[in-house]
Amino acid sequence: KNFFFQGDVQFTLRGDGLHQYHFANDLSWGGGPGYYFIRRRDTVLGLQFVVSGEHKDVDRFRGEPAEDTGITSVFVGPRLIASVGRISAEIAVDLPVLIDNTALQVVPDYRIRGGIAIRF
């Protein structure tokens, strides 16, 4: 009863920008299994193993590909979630297992994500 699975998918539909620049669409996804160590009405503490990634094609400038703008990446790592009363928080560390970019680009060695929510 304490195991869970969370997943999400986001598709960003982009279009033409200024100066004849067309931004490529982007597909991001993530999810994985987790376990609640504490699961009470007012307190939650869980750990999740997350696999996430994205795919973005190359942008176009005046009809020609902008070669340094496309990427496909896959990350894995832990996500810690906690909730006490009206405050919820999470922190995750993502380590790359695949980064395939289309040209010379700066790409992450790792990512740290976090968030806090307060219910009113």
Side-chain angles (χ1 to χ4, degrees):
K1 293 183 180 182
N2 288 337
F3 287 98
F4 69 92
F5 184 90
Q6 176 271 332
D8 60 82
V9 175
Q10 175 180 314
F11 178 75
T12 306
L13 181 63
R14 297 187 171 127
D16 293 332
L18 298 176
H19 311 292
Q20 300 176 1
Y21 195 90
H22 179 82
F23 295 92
N25 299 332
D26 189 13
L27 176 68
S28 300
W29 53 272
Y35 184 80
Y36 291 118
F37 295 101
I38 299 172
R39 195 174 91 176
R40 294 191 294 253
R41 191 172 83 81
D42 62 342
T43 306
V44 173
L45 178 65
L47 183 65
Q48 180 183 18
F49 176 76
V50 179
V51 178
S52 62
E54 76 169 312
H55 173 75
K56 179 184 172 291
D57 204 0
V58 295
D59 299 343
R60 300 184 85 61
F61 178 61
R62 295 184 180 166
E64 297 295 320
E67 294 296 333
D68 60 345
T69 58
I71 190 166
T72 298
S73 60
V74 177
F75 292 84
V76 298
R79 174 180 169 241
L80 182 65
I81 56 174
S83 178
V84 177
R86 299 181 335 182
I87 300 173
S88 299
E90 70 174 65
I91 188 162
V93 176
D94 300 331
L95 303 172
V97 293
L98 169 73
I99 295 182
D100 182 20
N101 52 333
T102 56
L104 182 62
Q105 294 179 24
V106 175
V107 295
D109 292 331
Y110 60 90
R111 301 186 302 195
I112 298 175
R113 300 176 290 118
I116 297 174
I118 301 172
R119 287 191 327 245
F120 294 99

